[in-house]
Amino acid sequence: MCRLCYGNTRIKSMHIVHHIIPVEEDVKKEFIYNPKNLISLCQSCHLQTHVEYEKRKMEKENLQEYLRELVEQGVGEG
């Protein structure tokens, strides 16, 4: 399921595994397959996440931190 939708009390199928730290920014390739850097998202949340990433660096870092928190919580945990 999409972790962002689930975090907003909606249930929606996931379509994409999103890299919180984008592959192109992971120059040492440390995080590509790290489960803490991967989050399941639906298509609309994935597109919106990239829109937010493109805005300003601080907003991107805040969003990345929020996504990491969702990964740490796990599915079904508050």
Side-chain angles (χ1 to χ4, degrees):
M1 76 180 67
C2 175
R3 293 293 292 134
L4 281 175
C5 286
Y6 185 81
N8 290 316
T9 65
R10 295 181 305 220
I11 304 233
K12 196 169 178 184
S13 297
M14 63 83 71
H15 298 101
I16 296 167
V17 176
H18 172 73
H19 291 83
I20 297 170
I21 296 173
V23 174
E24 60 273 7
E25 292 178 17
D26 185 13
V27 291
K28 293 183 180 180
K29 306 301 179 213
E30 299 176 75
F31 302 105
I32 289 177
Y33 301 111
N34 184 328
K36 293 183 178 185
N37 189 51
L38 304 172
I39 188 167
S40 57
L41 298 176
C42 66
Q43 182 67 22
S44 61
C45 286
H46 186 244
L47 291 173
Q48 186 59 39
T49 298
H50 280 280
V51 167
E52 295 297 321
Y53 276 13
E54 292 298 317
K55 285 186 179 178
R56 291 187 305 229
K57 184 176 170 102
M58 182 58 100
E59 289 179 25
K60 178 179 178 179
E61 290 171 358
N62 290 339
L63 179 56
Q64 286 174 322
E65 183 60 32
Y66 176 68
L67 294 174
R68 282 189 204 93
E69 288 172 9
L70 288 176
V71 170
E72 288 292 320
Q73 289 175 5
V75 176
E77 299 175 21

